[in-house]
Amino acid sequence: MCVSRCIDKGQESYEQAPMYVAVMTYLGFGIVTLFGYFRDFLRAVGVEKRNIAQEREEQKDFVPLYQDFENFYTRNLYMRVRDNWNRPVCSLPGPVFDLMERVSDDYNWTFRLTGRTIHNAINMGSYNYLGFAENNADFLKTVAAKTQQYGVGVCSTRQELGTLSIHEELEQLVASFLKVESSMTFGMGFAVNSMNIPAIVGKGGLILSDELNHTSLILGARLSGATIRVFKHNNMHSLEKMLKEAVCSGQPRTHRPWKKILIMVEGIYSMEGSVVRLPEIIALKKKYKAYLYLDEAHSIGAVGPSGRGVTELFNVNPSDVDVMMGTFTKSFGAAGGYIAGKKDLVDYLRGHSHSAVYAAAMSPPVAEQIIRAMKCIMGSDGSTEGIRRVRQLAENTRYFRARLKEMGFIIYGNDDSPVVPILLYMPGKVVAFAREMLERKIGVVVVGFPATPITEARARFCLSASHSRAMLNQVLRHMNEVGDNLCLKFSRLKYSSCPDLCDETDFDSGSLYDP
């Protein structure tokens, strides 16, 4: 069965695999788990060497530092396939990159470099949506100049001596780009969520969080002390039910009204490739007098006619989003992130954000890189290069997704999303796919349990404006061959024949977090 949903801009599809695929996936995990217990027995009796950390004998009466059961997956399942992750890159992570070859003599417990370099592998795994992770001397002249002027670091917080004129220029530019009143920038994208959410909502508040939100959002919500409830991914019936209950019932036991209700969502979900249903969420937010926190880490610069994210994609007023968050690591080839919105909100965060009080300010060369990229996107540098890249990314995204569907792969997400998950399901096929693609000089990212549901392991492709049509065709040609060799084409549907079968009333309102 295929579940598809039209959301005005593009279509999302989530086709279910045949039953035998799920059965074989569980069987595969069952077999490696049984072998894992057998190998643990061999380690216990001294037949096999124990390589992982363990408690010292003289501390056996102490509270244990290492939980043996929690490490079971790492030492017996992940370790067998660890060569597919954390591969050392020795070049710019652009559309092509160089990898250092490594081998293991002890079943992936340790690696050694062979001295050989894999040159010009096509990079299909980096968040480089607009291709600004580049090494063009002509484009980077201003960055080099700012490095000479300011140095590479500030070594102070924004509240002390860390605010420079270049930070103020960047914040004004971000606010102008997003069409909001004000913005504040931070040196680390993860900390934008984890350190600012506790300043926005606290005890007595309620956070309604999408079940697929990023770890940084989850951490920020937990640190806030607010009550957390989780609604089913992109499901408006689930969200509205929780909003109704929150407004009608209030806080547990006392039934007092919540001090604040904050809806937290992402623009593009990095593991699913789905796009937030923003107009409907804004309508619910207004109806129930809640606030909206929008994380645009993957959508800012990557979607919308001029790269302004999901607010532009859906043609909604940015002022309808109370807190706009984004990062500079994906579309801008830099680091850090921002919070944007009304001036009162930003001024409040300048004095209450943990990042502003304790973290070092953004590096000036990084700030200049963001300014350079953002001006290019806006066209204020006098060129059309930025808008060309935005359009090229959109063209590459739709072309790549359409061709994969034609081949018979099951892919998730929205037609406009440059994040393209291809479902591989079985653990053996995941590692075989990654190794086979690298043999063909194509670098891919594969993801499995516990980062995904146990039956939905996948490869995640990230499209870039810097990918040429020839590169994409080469990847697609190899994908077609590998898909046939490994029997990865699980789709039972013809291209564009998927019916609209989405039934949002079937949801589970259970929370993934402790309140």
Side-chain angles (χ1 to χ4, degrees), residues 132-133 328-336 362 365-371 373:
F132 283 112
F328 301 121
T329 52
K330 281 80 176 178
S331 293
F332 302 93
M362 180 183 289
V366 172
E368 177 58 30
Q369 162 65 11
I370 301 165
I371 292 172

Side-chain angles (χ1 to χ4, degrees), residues 272-289:
E272 303 295 312
S274 54
V275 174
V276 66
R277 301 172 68 177
L278 189 59
E280 296 159 85
I281 290 178
I282 289 176
L284 290 176
K285 176 207 95 149
K286 292 180 177 179
K287 181 178 178 181
Y288 293 97
K289 303 297 188 291

Side-chain angles (χ1 to χ4, degrees), residues 285-307:
K285 176 207 95 149
K286 292 180 177 179
K287 181 178 178 181
Y288 293 97
K289 303 297 188 291
Y291 295 93
L292 176 58
Y293 187 107
L294 175 62
D295 180 341
E296 289 214 78
H298 288 270
S299 55
I300 192 67
V303 295
S306 60

Side-chain angles (χ1 to χ4, degrees), residues 45-273:
V45 299
V47 175
E48 182 175 333
K49 180 181 178 182
R50 182 184 291 268
N51 292 299
I52 206 162
Q54 56 184 318
E55 302 291 339
R56 297 172 61 184
E57 182 63 26
E58 55 266 33
Q59 291 181 311
K60 62 181 180 180
D61 295 327
F62 286 67
V63 176
L65 289 174
Y66 308 104
Q67 295 295 327
D68 187 69
F69 181 77
E70 293 178 2
N71 292 327
F72 178 86
Y73 182 89
T74 301
R75 68 176 177 267
N76 290 312
L77 283 77
Y78 171 71
M79 202 59 64
R80 299 169 65 91
V81 296
R82 193 162 71 102
D83 58 296
N84 292 290
W85 288 272
N86 306 316
R87 291 180 174 131
V89 177
C90 56
S91 71
L92 179 80
V96 297
F97 58 7
D98 299 337
L99 298 170
M100 301 172 69
E101 186 182 67
R102 60 181 184 176
V103 295
S104 176
D105 301 316
D106 53 4
Y107 302 101
N108 294 339
W109 286 98
T110 61
F111 294 99
R112 61 178 175 84
L113 298 175
T114 64
R116 176 175 172 263
T117 300
I118 304 172
H119 292 285
N120 296 323
I122 299 177
N123 180 8
M124 297 301 296
S126 290
Y127 299 137
N128 184 27
Y129 297 134
L130 296 180
F132 283 112
E134 56 195 354
N135 198 18
N136 188 315
D138 293 333
F139 292 161
L140 298 176
K141 286 179 179 178
T142 59
V143 178
K146 295 299 180 183
T147 306
Q148 293 291 333
Q149 178 182 353
Y150 291 107
V152 295
V154 179
C155 303
S156 181
T157 68
R158 292 294 302 273
Q159 285 200 349
E160 294 176 312
L161 303 175
T163 298
L164 306 177
S165 59
I166 194 170
H167 296 127
E168 295 175 345
E169 178 187 358
L170 172 60
E171 290 172 351
Q172 292 171 5
L173 185 64
V174 170
S176 174
F177 180 66
L178 298 175
K179 299 181 180 179
V180 295
E181 293 179 8
S182 185
S183 74
M184 182 178 181
T185 57
F186 304 87
M188 181 182 179
F190 190 98
V192 177
N193 283 331
S194 60
M195 295 291 100
N196 284 286
I197 292 173
I200 295 172
V201 63
K203 188 175 181 180
L206 173 65
I207 293 176
L208 300 181
S209 177
D210 190 288
E211 66 178 343
L212 296 183
N213 275 342
H214 188 262
T215 305
S216 59
L217 288 167
I218 296 171
L219 178 59
R222 287 175 172 171
L223 292 175
S224 71
T227 299
I228 305 167
R229 293 176 184 165
V230 179
F231 61 93
K232 193 170 182 180
H233 175 56
N234 252 352
N235 191 303
M236 298 303 102
H237 287 286
S238 175
L239 175 58
E240 184 167 18
K241 180 183 177 182
M242 292 186 179
L243 284 167
K244 281 182 180 179
E245 183 181 353
V247 172
C248 295
S249 302
Q251 300 183 41
R253 294 187 297 275
T254 65
H255 298 292
R256 292 175 180 173
W258 294 101
K259 294 180 180 179
K260 189 181 297 179
I261 300 176
L262 182 66
I263 303 169
M264 292 198 320
V265 293
E266 296 186 44
I268 292 178
Y269 292 84
S270 60
M271 206 61 73
E272 303 295 312

Side-chain angles (χ1 to χ4, degrees), residues 456-471:
E456 293 186 5
R458 64 198 66 180
R460 184 180 61 182
F461 288 76
C462 295
L463 277 299
S464 171
S466 58
H467 286 137
S468 67
R469 182 58 62 88
M471 289 180 186

Side-chain angles (χ1 to χ4, degrees), residues 1-2 13-18 21 401 404-413 420-425 456-459 479 488-493:
M1 184 181 79
C2 173
S13 61
Y14 301 92
E15 182 183 350
Q16 295 181 1
V21 175
R401 281 181 167 273
L404 288 175
K405 289 179 181 178
E406 290 173 359
M407 291 178 187
F409 291 99
I410 293 179
I411 64 174
Y412 278 180
V420 185
I422 298 178
L423 276 294
L424 305 176
Y425 299 105
E456 293 186 5
R458 64 198 66 180
M479 281 286 298
L488 300 175
K489 299 178 180 180
F490 300 113
S491 179
R492 294 168 290 177
L493 301 167

